[in-house]
Amino acid sequence: MEEPLDLIKLSLSERIYVKCRNSRELRGKLHAYDNHLNMVLSEVEETITATEEDEETGEEIVSKRVRNVGMLFVRGDIVVLVSPPLRVG
């Protein structure tokens, strides 16, 4: 492995985890990517975490929404982290 993107190249056609801005997380099969980390994922599970404050009690309320998307284009400028699949061997 010579460059950071080589790690992503090894993950083509495998399920990866992508942490994005605005508390979004994606898990899906990587089909394509470029030098800007634009990616095409399929069989995507998107999790959006929202935090609100209860006006009466002041408590923090965390809610998660999950949706499934067949095919998704991810713009690279929202990507914070990319994690390849766990390799045991």
Side-chain angles (χ1 to χ4, degrees):
M1 213 175 310
E2 297 177 14
E3 297 182 23
L5 289 179
D6 289 347
L7 183 61
I8 295 173
K9 186 176 186 177
L10 292 172
S11 301
L12 280 169
S13 299
E14 298 198 43
R15 289 191 63 80
I16 63 169
Y17 168 78
V18 182
K19 183 168 178 65
C20 303
R21 288 196 224 164
N22 298 325
S23 302
R24 292 177 59 193
E25 299 176 3
L26 306 169
R27 287 175 178 80
K29 185 176 179 181
L30 179 65
H31 288 276
Y33 71 96
D34 65 14
N35 289 338
H36 303 285
L37 283 183
N38 295 318
M39 291 181 258
V40 176
L41 302 175
S42 69
E43 303 169 24
V44 181
E45 179 183 271
E46 177 186 35
T47 304
I48 302 171
T49 305
T51 305
E52 300 176 33
E53 185 175 315
D54 187 311
E55 294 178 12
E56 294 177 11
T57 64
E59 290 182 32
E60 192 174 85
I61 301 170
V62 177
S63 62
K64 289 191 179 203
R65 289 185 321 169
V66 177
R67 73 176 182 143
N68 293 305
V69 182
M71 189 71 75
L72 187 68
F73 174 84
V74 180
R75 187 174 159 136
D77 66 350
I78 70 163
V79 174
V80 175
L81 175 144
V82 178
S83 178
L86 181 62
R87 298 189 195 287
V88 180

